[in-house]
Amino acid sequence: MGFGAGIAGPSRDLIVKRASPPNATGRVYGVVYSGLDIGQAIAPLAFGSLMDHRHPAQVWLGIALVQAVLIVNAFNVRHARRTNLAPA
């Protein structure tokens, strides 16, 4: 788990930095990390409830779905940033 977080953290930080508008990097980091904190607080409640109701397959499906959404969003951030930087 630590290895995965160590690999993902710098990549996520670079995506956030590249996607941030000029002079707004701090605000963007604040929003991103607030979202991470909220997600890390809510996810155990949701997934724990599924486990309590004996639906472990739903937990894996939920994790896979969230990861897929995150990956798609990471690619969309890159595309959106390129579109916004294109000369008019």
Side-chain angles (χ1 to χ4, degrees), residues 58-81:
Q58 301 288 330
V59 172
W60 289 109
L61 183 63
I63 292 169
L65 181 66
V66 168
Q67 288 297 320
V69 168
L70 293 172
I71 291 167
V72 168
N73 281 335
F75 284 111
N76 284 338
V77 165
R78 184 190 319 167
H79 175 70
R81 183 69 177 149

Side-chain angles (χ1 to χ4, degrees), residues 3-85:
F3 179 76
I7 295 295
S11 300
R12 179 196 56 229
D13 292 346
L14 287 173
I15 290 171
V16 171
K17 184 176 179 180
R18 289 182 186 158
S20 300
N23 300 323
T25 304
R27 287 182 299 211
V28 173
Y29 272 102
V31 169
V32 168
Y33 285 100
S34 294
L36 286 172
D37 291 340
I38 291 168
Q40 289 173 353
I42 292 173
L45 299 173
F47 292 139
S49 177
L50 288 171
M51 291 295 288
D52 288 344
H53 289 95
R54 300 180 188 210
H55 297 292
Q58 301 288 330
V59 172
W60 289 109
L61 183 63
I63 292 169
L65 181 66
V66 168
Q67 288 297 320
V69 168
L70 293 172
I71 291 167
V72 168
N73 281 335
F75 284 111
N76 284 338
V77 165
R78 184 190 319 167
H79 175 70
R81 183 69 177 149
R82 283 187 194 155
T83 304
N84 290 339
L85 291 177

